[in-house]
Amino acid sequence: MQQTHSPTDAPLIALIAGEDSGDQLGADLIVALRHRFPGARFVGIGGRRMLTQGFESWYDIRELSVMGFAEVVKHLPRLLRLRRELLAKLLDARPALTIGIDAPDFNLAVERKLKEAGLVTAHYVSPSVWAWREKRAEKIGRSAERVLCLFPMEPPIYAQHGVDARFVGHPLADRFPMVSERDGARDALGLPHDAPVLAVLPGSRPSEIERIGAIFIDAAKRVSGAMPTLRIVVPAANERVHARLASLLQGFPGTPPMLIDGQAHEAMLAADAVLLASGTATLEAMLAKRPMVVGYRVSPTSYRIAKALRMLKTDVYSLPNILARACGLGRERLVPEFMQDECTPDNLARATLELLADSERRGAIVTAFEYLHQALRGGLEGRAADHAAEAVADLLERR
């Protein structure tokens, strides 16, 4: 049998990232691991940021960027073929360590096969075991020797199932100061200091914009109509999203929204409130200490499957609300959220106007978000990427 690359000289470390957020996590992790293993070589699947750090990507990361049951089924033959090819490459290369970064539906099966072949595996970013099928923790333990968790409430759940899980901190908590400064962000975007500002983020994927973009833009029109002095800023995650949003914004009444490329953090920091799609962006808005209104829709097929299988174990969806409950801030929703059929222009606009009109409520939300920011750091000192690197380096050094 071919020898596994030794972790003691120049280890071969495989990383498998499934989308843009995983690419950022992977790039930061590579930097942190190079401090411990200067001669390491990194291979697998990654994006532009990982490539900048000297990563050798065997496939384009965009081949894995698929969301939802219906969407995955559509691309299933291609994804299965890609997984077989990648697994064969990894079994041939026999890396000292393989780290699946998020993308659990793809990565956990690869990790399990590698672990069964005697290779060391880890999974970075726990699937939402507190929301979706908590017993999944046992399955994840059969795939990964160690799970790296971003949220402090996750390791105790894994412990109940005998799985080694480590809280390493959330990298986004490192990127936002505890007290966010608004004026500098407005200056950077050319927004006035004396006007109310709303940031609108309907999603970062073209599929999301197609599904819910029009709903969010319609809601923004209604808010703008009720607040003539309101300035709206709409960050676009990439060129395809920019083109679709530009089309949806044509004929916008009153002061036209500012459509910008990227700069989502700056848009949030500049805003008095944020209207956005559920997902990681809600965590970013929380860390920016900006009150928000959240909405989302998945495909009707995906939603029906999830409901039929009773897969969802919580009645809140946005990360700020989930964290607020986990950290003991009560069961009342800190953030208004409207999912599936409730995600309508009228509901989103009404909740946004109520938020913009109530400065006392916004102040209370900011205080709660500061508390949650502290909780998300979990008392850890230093960067999350360094804690993650320490957790996986321990696996290498024990071998």
Side-chain angles (χ1 to χ4, degrees), residues 117-139:
L119 295 172
V120 184
T121 59
H123 192 80
Y124 190 11
V125 184
S126 166
S128 303
V129 290
W130 27 265
W132 298 83
R133 298 175 293 172
E134 186 176 309
K135 287 189 176 180
R136 254 183 114 185
E138 295 178 9
K139 178 182 176 183

Side-chain angles (χ1 to χ4, degrees), residues 194-206:
D194 58 352
V197 174
L198 174 69
V200 179
L201 295 89
S204 59
R205 300 177 182 84

